[in-house]
Amino acid sequence: MKHQLLEVERERFFLNDICKYSIRGVIPEKYSIEAYLDDTRLEASLERQIAKSAVERFKDGEMLGGQRVEATVTLPRELEGYKKLNVFAVFENNRLPWFHIKVKELLKRRGRPQYYIEEERVNRKEHTLTLRGWAAASTHVQIKLFDENKQPLEVRVQRNSRMDVADMFKEFPLTDDCGFYVELDEVKGKYLYLVMRDKEGSKSVYKVGVGTGEVLLGKAGKYRKKGMDYLRAHGAKALMVKAVRKLSEVSNRPVDYAQWLPKHLPTPAELEKQRKTVFKINPKISIVVPLYKTREDYLSQLVDSVKAQTYTNWELCLSDGSGADSPIRSILEKYASEDERIKVVFHQESLRIAENTNAAIEIASGDYIAFADHDDVLTAHALFACVKAVNEDPDIEVLYSDEDKMSIKGNKFFLPHFKPDFNLDLLCTVNYICHLFVAKKELVDKVGMLRPEFDGAQDYDFIFRCVEATEHICHIPMILYHWRSHEDSTAENPESKMYAFDAGQRAVQAHFDRIGVKAEVYKGEYLGLYRTRYVRDHDPLVSIIIPNKDHIEDLERCISSIDERSTYKNYEYIIVENNSTEERTFDYYKKLEKENPRVHTVYWDGPFNYSDINNFGASYAKGEYFLLLNNDTEVINNDWIEELLGYCMRPDVGIVGARLYYEDDTVQHAGVVLGFGGIAGHCFVQQPRGNTGYCHRIICPQNYSAVTAACMMVKKEAFDKAGGLSSDLAVAFNDIDFCLKVRAAGYLVVYNPYAELYHYESKSRGLEDTPEKRERFAKEIATLEAHWPDIFSKPDPYYNPNLTLKSQDFSLKRL
């Protein structure tokens, strides 16, 4: 049976030491390791990996008797003359083979970029190739693809951050973009070569079989190797169980966006129906596009996409900022002569992006201004969808849509961005609105055009000024815009336009300066993300309200973590005792009050009702801000109160929630979406700590419909206006209901990931595991829906209707 507890998941060299070899995987409990180079025993250390997600830890039943470990083997600098490295799991008289590798393979890897190919897909019918994986070295790794004649190929390489890989290489800080996604549109020959080269010139080469026979041989070889490795480690029975499990997982795979998109675009019949639609309001939409030595094929695709619009009252305003020797002048003159709706303005001098866009706006005569880049594409129903929305609500002044990325050739679409409705705090974290953006011309005249001092983020600054000036903002939850991803595009290579991220930081700062909010804006954890720290003019009293029933160990840990770690000092505790039965609990209260002057214990003598208990505690609170906190929580970061308070002190914010983790360092709470689980649920549950989630949403401060009251700061003024928590929701959903009441009172609810705590999850209350509890739970669902029938009849505005409600990871809704 012990063979079923042996598995190697990853193995690689250290990036900063060619004599250190790391092996991650699973060995039986109590076992250590021994490593040998042929017959020579090597120095080897073992570290148990304890901070892993529950999903990862228990994904295979066989792992329940094992330990997840990372072994580090010290190799000699000179490996020549040796044949094989063997690593064994050892306990008493048992010595089990765990890992082996030939020395010649070690020599191939040593001193070269480390990599792993996670997905290799060849579509022979469409002649396309996609590769996904990561490459890491002590310097930046360049990714290129070569044909079988060693000639470089024009491919799209999408770079992305990989927190999981960064966690793996703890000995060396990795760059943000070690992940990659490679797409080739025209596959030829039998083999291609993926070359990963670092700045020192060292390279690793991965051979890709792309011919029909080569693809089949490659897959067969990989499956055979995986199967034989698993067979040796786990035995025949375990291999059969795994094979059955893999087959059952096929139906649960994530939705493929390439298959999803065609089914969610209008059919030819629907497009024809749109062309025949007569609207009551028929605004002219001016599509403004700055051009600069644009490739003719890109320009042609853009113009064709505009001319294909089913809504025809448009004009295309093109400003050619290429200068006097513009290479596209003749083709632009041709477009303008063929269609009177196409206007072009030329310039003798080269123009930068803001002034070039402004020149296009100046020749526009439309009622609305739509913004597009010179190498992107609109869907055929883009303008129709906008005009339809305006007819449904004529007061609309700003519209934006969902978008995706498009391959160089314009024939593949990927990485969709399904956005929430207007989300001010998310906008202050990242320009999530981006494309397609449409503004009423009257609004443009009011706020002014694009500002050259924000070049690179001129659209971000402009969007801020627009949304500051109007509340009539409409999000259209449809893919209406394809953003081309290529080498010079920010969509593909963020570092190609570092100045844009500096300008973005200044755009967010300028927004706060204009609206009179004292704040300091910094670059976030990733390029394009920004972090705001609010500047307080005073330190108000915060009343921390903690209901408690027995479980004094939980309460003591909670209070100790606050007192020992918090840098904010102006707070009080309101401990709401409710129905404790142990004498030592009451003794602890007396001791606590005697030793800690911040503590005040109040006694609730009614039946358990979470809402009434918190309302009771609030009635004794003296603070300007209440912090509702479960007793089974533990503070992680020392500035958690400042983080919550910074947002909560804003006049427009009523409630702020935190990022909470289970004991095993997986996410317990990162905001709440209405509709999850049929009613409401937490976002990104059980995602490993360090994961950033869909479009980095886990680490982005943003507005949500609700946050959990396990850790919730609320402005006293907002608490009073909402009338506290609802008594008819005694156990479940009272925090959801309370957030909706505060929102109805005119306040925003904010999730702030920079306030982090552990939440050991309702130990004092238990689960819904009896008929009585299940009946009460169903009743409270009905009560919540009865309180808010209009809200629960519509999609959550801070989610997106194209995303599933059946899981909490923001994945695509099934077809």
Side-chain angles (χ1 to χ4, degrees), residues 646-698:
Y647 280 91
C648 211
M649 289 179 73
R650 268 180 24 202
D652 58 335
V653 174
I655 287 174
V656 186
R659 176 165 34 164
L660 305 180
Y661 303 102
Y662 290 114
E663 188 172 6
D664 66 351
D665 276 315
T666 60
V667 172
Q668 191 264 346
H669 171 267
V672 170
V673 165
L674 305 182
F676 279 172
I679 183 70
H682 294 182
C683 305
F684 304 109
V685 173
Q686 291 190 337
Q687 292 281 318
R689 184 176 180 178
N691 278 19
T692 63
Y694 179 74
C695 296
H696 296 310
R697 291 282 290 268
I698 292 176

Side-chain angles (χ1 to χ4, degrees), residues 122 124-125 187 189-190 209-219:
V122 179
R124 295 297 302 171
K125 184 177 180 181
V187 173
K190 294 183 177 180
V210 294
T212 303
E214 288 72 21
V215 170
L216 293 174
L217 284 173
K219 287 183 177 180

Side-chain angles (χ1 to χ4, degrees), residues 262-282 305-314 378-389 391-392 476 478-480:
K263 297 181 180 180
H264 288 79
L265 291 174
T267 64
E270 289 169 332
L271 292 174
E272 187 59 33
K273 183 179 179 181
Q274 290 180 8
R275 293 186 183 95
K276 296 176 181 178
T277 299
V278 178
F279 288 112
K280 183 178 180 180
I281 303 172
N282 292 280
S305 76
V306 174
K307 293 172 74 172
Q309 293 299 303
T310 57
Y311 180 78
T312 57
N313 190 16
W314 55 261
L378 277 66
T379 62
H381 65 308
L383 300 186
F384 179 92
C386 293
V387 174
K388 184 173 183 290
N391 275 265
E392 292 170 353
I476 302 172
M478 300 178 184
I479 298 291
L480 302 183

Side-chain angles (χ1 to χ4, degrees), residues 308-322:
Q309 293 299 303
T310 57
Y311 180 78
T312 57
N313 190 16
W314 55 261
E315 62 179 7
L316 179 58
C317 303
L318 304 172
S319 175
D320 183 10
S322 308

Side-chain angles (χ1 to χ4, degrees), residues 308-369:
Q309 293 299 303
T310 57
Y311 180 78
T312 57
N313 190 16
W314 55 261
E315 62 179 7
L316 179 58
C317 303
L318 304 172
S319 175
D320 183 10
S322 308
D325 58 345
S326 171
I328 55 175
R329 186 181 186 99
S330 60
I331 190 172
L332 291 174
E333 290 173 340
K334 178 175 180 289
Y335 286 139
S337 67
E338 292 176 346
D339 193 324
E340 61 182 9
R341 296 173 298 178
I342 299 178
K343 299 179 178 180
V344 183
V345 58
F346 298 98
H347 306 278
Q348 287 301 307
E349 303 294 331
S350 296
L351 300 182
R352 298 189 67 180
I353 183 75
E355 57 185 351
N356 203 12
T357 307
N358 289 342
I361 296 174
E362 287 172 353
I363 63 172
S365 61
D367 303 295
Y368 286 82
I369 305 295

Side-chain angles (χ1 to χ4, degrees), residues 554-741:
D554 287 345
L555 181 60
E556 184 174 19
R557 178 182 56 204
C558 176
I559 291 178
S560 295
S561 73
I562 295 171
D563 287 342
E564 293 170 8
R565 297 172 192 166
S566 300
T567 51
Y568 192 88
K569 299 303 181 184
N570 193 18
Y571 59 88
E572 65 171 357
Y573 293 107
I574 307 296
I575 309 299
V576 189
E577 153 57 32
N578 66 99
N579 303 305
S580 291
T581 58
E582 299 175 8
E583 189 61 35
R584 68 190 190 108
T585 301
F586 298 93
D587 292 339
Y588 176 71
Y589 293 149
K590 293 175 184 177
K591 176 176 178 290
L592 194 59
E593 287 186 310
K594 183 178 180 180
E595 296 176 353
N596 192 331
R598 290 190 173 101
V599 175
H600 310 283
T601 305
V602 297
Y603 294 83
W604 169 258
D605 59 4
F608 179 83
N609 183 306
Y610 183 84
S611 297
D612 288 345
I613 289 168
N614 275 282
N615 293 341
F616 180 71
S619 70
Y620 288 88
K622 300 174 183 177
E624 295 177 56
Y625 296 86
F626 301 159
L627 179 49
L628 310 188
L629 191 66
N630 276 26
N631 62 350
D632 57 349
T633 55
E634 181 180 358
V635 170
I636 295 175
N637 57 309
N638 57 16
D639 60 346
W640 70 292
I641 295 180
E642 291 97 322
E643 284 291 347
L644 295 171
L645 196 56
Y647 280 91
C648 211
M649 289 179 73
R650 268 180 24 202
D652 58 335
V653 174
I655 287 174
V656 186
R659 176 165 34 164
L660 305 180
Y661 303 102
Y662 290 114
E663 188 172 6
D664 66 351
D665 276 315
T666 60
V667 172
Q668 191 264 346
H669 171 267
V672 170
V673 165
L674 305 182
F676 279 172
I679 183 70
H682 294 182
C683 305
F684 304 109
V685 173
Q686 291 190 337
Q687 292 281 318
R689 184 176 180 178
N691 278 19
T692 63
Y694 179 74
C695 296
H696 296 310
R697 291 282 290 268
I698 292 176
I699 62 170
C700 289
Q702 61 197 280
N703 306 121
Y704 271 113
S705 289
V707 293
T708 180
C711 178
M712 172 195 288
M713 182 173 283
V714 55
K715 192 183 269 104
K716 181 182 186 302
E717 171 192 285
F719 187 94
D720 292 341
K721 283 186 179 179
L725 283 71
S726 299
S727 297
D728 55 353
L729 291 167
V731 178
F733 307 118
N734 34 57
D735 48 1
I736 311 297
D737 177 79
F738 179 59
C739 287
L740 296 179
K741 288 165 70 174

